[in-house]
Amino acid sequence: MGSAQTCAKRTPPPVNSFWSVTLYDAKTFALYPNPLRRYLVSDRTKGLKVQKDGSIDIRIQHATSSGGNWLPAPAGPFFVVIRAYGPKPERLTGQWLPPPISKEDDAR
């Protein structure tokens, strides 16, 4: 998987407590071991980069990234789990839905 995957959140999950995006290796169903020892990105992630409009882009890729909000992934299949602790009503009613994970162009 040479391309980066991006999970762009227009706004983070609406919660009263905290949210997280955790990545798992789809072959082993385990957390993906990586040199950063980063297995999730959350509102508590040190150095989390938030855009001026409040949106958050999470880069999910195997290759090392110098950008912020990098969630290391295996070269093969993976899946993510979004957790929303103390969800607000808009999360429970489906007014807020997680954005799709999209593949970036190789040119970027």
Side-chain angles (χ1 to χ4, degrees):
M1 206 175 281
S3 298
Q5 312 291 313
T6 301
C7 179
K9 295 187 181 320
R10 288 177 194 87
T11 58
V15 295
N16 292 308
S17 298
F18 67 96
W19 59 266
S20 67
V21 176
T22 306
L23 185 138
Y24 295 91
D25 184 318
K27 291 181 180 177
T28 64
F29 294 92
L31 296 171
Y32 173 64
N34 63 80
L36 285 183
R37 301 183 86 171
R38 178 179 290 168
Y39 311 105
L40 61 87
V41 171
S42 77
D43 57 349
R44 299 175 181 198
T45 298
K46 185 177 180 179
L48 181 69
K49 295 191 185 338
V50 179
Q51 305 299 323
K52 289 180 184 178
D53 64 1
S55 65
I56 298 170
D57 294 331
I58 300 173
R59 294 188 56 81
I60 302 170
Q61 65 184 49
H62 182 65
T64 302
S65 175
S66 60
N69 303 341
W70 173 41
L71 188 53
F78 63 86
F79 63 93
V80 298
V81 174
I82 298 176
R83 292 179 175 86
Y85 295 88
K88 292 183 178 178
E90 55 269 35
R91 177 65 187 110
L92 296 173
T93 62
Q95 289 175 295
W96 183 93
L97 296 172
I101 296 175
S102 58
K103 188 179 249 187
E104 293 182 352
D105 293 333
D106 287 326
R108 275 183 89 184

